[in-house]
Amino acid sequence: MLSSMPMTKLSVNVNKLATLRNSRGKNTPNVAEMAARIIGLGAHGITVHPRPDGRHIRRDDVFDLKKIVKAPIEYNIEGYPSPDFLELLESAAPDQATLVPDPPEALTSNAGWDLSTNEAALTGIAARLRDRKIRVSLFVDPARFDAQELSALKRIRPDRIELYTEAFHDAFNTPNRAQMTALYSRVAKLAKENGVAVNAGHDLNQENLSYLLEHVPEIEEVSIGHALICEALLEGLPATIRNYLTIVKRE
């Protein structure tokens, strides 16, 4: 009997819930309560991306969620590694810190790290966070991942990379899908061969996720927020989470 493929963990990004709450200036929806409901529906993790202007997730949310997200559920905090953000990580002590290169004013994460240029800084930051038992993931764009970037990755030695999947999403319904997916597969294999685990996120949805996981089986975790919340408006949150859990089980 053939064994089933390994399960990928689903981490739900709750930024959009915070955006909705902030639009009215009160506390509906309550982000922590919604996160608890999402966990109760079977999600494996909660992701947030606080920004300095507090336009969605705020500092208080980070600590409120820390009270909700308990093992075996994982807490992932994304952000640009500014001094303030690193201090926040050390105070909140999430399971994982996903470091992204976008500046504070960016609407959303829109690029991967230039690892070779930022090697010294990222090496020091990764060591600092690992000393505090925080797993370190670096946002990487497969389209610009060349031999020089691989060499830098080997020296930085993060625990994981997160594949920036916007280009995969954009190519999914075009003739370039197979070629683009092969690019992601190549980078995932290189990372794993060098002891770096693989996550993925950005513009993933129910339409494209199964295909990605089938062709890039190295992916251990996906972080999904915008599409999941949009789909939940049509399907309901329980059905949407259930659909994603079916996909990530890969049975």
Side-chain angles (χ1 to χ4, degrees):
M1 179 177 178
L2 293 175
S3 61
S4 61
M5 297 180 69
M7 180 177 68
T8 297
K9 290 184 176 181
L10 171 67
S11 186
V12 177
N13 188 317
V14 296
N15 275 23
K16 282 296 178 293
L17 297 175
T19 302
L20 181 60
R21 175 202 60 193
N22 295 353
S23 69
R24 291 297 294 269
K26 295 187 179 181
N27 196 30
T28 302
N30 183 301
V31 174
E33 289 180 359
M34 289 298 295
R37 179 168 295 190
I38 289 167
I39 292 167
L41 292 169
H44 308 111
I46 296 294
T47 291
V48 294
H49 188 152
R51 292 181 181 274
D53 61 7
R55 64 179 181 263
H56 34 63
I57 290 294
R58 299 167 177 161
R59 183 180 178 88
D60 287 348
D61 293 321
V62 170
F63 293 99
D64 288 344
L65 288 164
K66 178 67 176 179
K67 300 172 187 176
I68 299 294
V69 186
K70 303 293 184 181
I73 309 304
E74 291 196 343
Y75 194 16
N76 174 43
I77 302 181
E78 300 179 349
Y80 178 78
S82 65
D84 287 347
F85 181 72
L86 293 175
E87 290 175 7
L88 178 64
L89 290 176
E90 290 172 340
S91 296
D95 299 285
Q96 178 173 264
T98 299
L99 306 182
V100 298
D102 54 317
E105 67 275 9
L107 180 63
T108 186
S109 299
N110 55 19
W113 283 103
D114 182 334
L115 297 177
S116 56
T117 299
N118 295 282
E119 179 182 334
L122 290 173
T123 300
I125 291 167
R128 173 179 170 178
L129 295 177
R130 278 198 300 269
D131 283 346
R132 288 155 177 82
K133 311 301 181 185
I134 300 172
R135 187 170 69 228
V136 178
S137 180
L138 300 180
F139 207 49
V140 169
D141 185 352
R144 65 175 314 277
F145 195 84
D146 56 16
Q148 187 175 7
E149 292 293 280
L150 177 60
S151 294
L153 180 69
K154 292 178 182 178
R155 292 188 290 269
I156 297 169
R157 300 295 299 174
D159 300 288
R160 298 188 181 188
I161 59 170
E162 179 171 324
L163 301 176
Y164 171 38
T165 48
E166 182 176 13
F168 165 77
H169 166 272
D170 292 346
F172 185 72
N173 288 314
T174 77
N176 294 326
R177 176 169 64 182
Q179 181 180 359
M180 180 61 68
T181 306
L183 180 63
Y184 280 76
S185 176
R186 169 185 168 273
V187 174
K189 284 182 170 61
L190 286 171
K192 190 166 185 178
E193 287 169 2
N194 286 280
V196 179
V198 181
N199 297 340
H202 205 92
D203 287 341
L204 296 176
N205 55 42
Q206 291 181 53
E207 180 186 13
N208 61 32
L209 181 58
S210 181
Y211 182 90
L212 179 67
L213 296 181
E214 178 184 355
H215 291 84
V216 192
E218 293 82 6
I219 295 172
E220 296 190 15
E221 174 188 298
V222 291
S223 174
I224 304 177
H226 181 81
L228 187 150
I229 299 303
C230 291
E231 290 161 341
L233 293 174
L234 298 173
E235 303 169 343
L237 186 62
T240 300
I241 297 292
R242 185 167 58 248
N243 291 344
Y244 275 105
L245 291 175
T246 298
I247 294 170
V248 298
K249 284 179 182 177
R250 296 193 268 172
E251 294 178 342

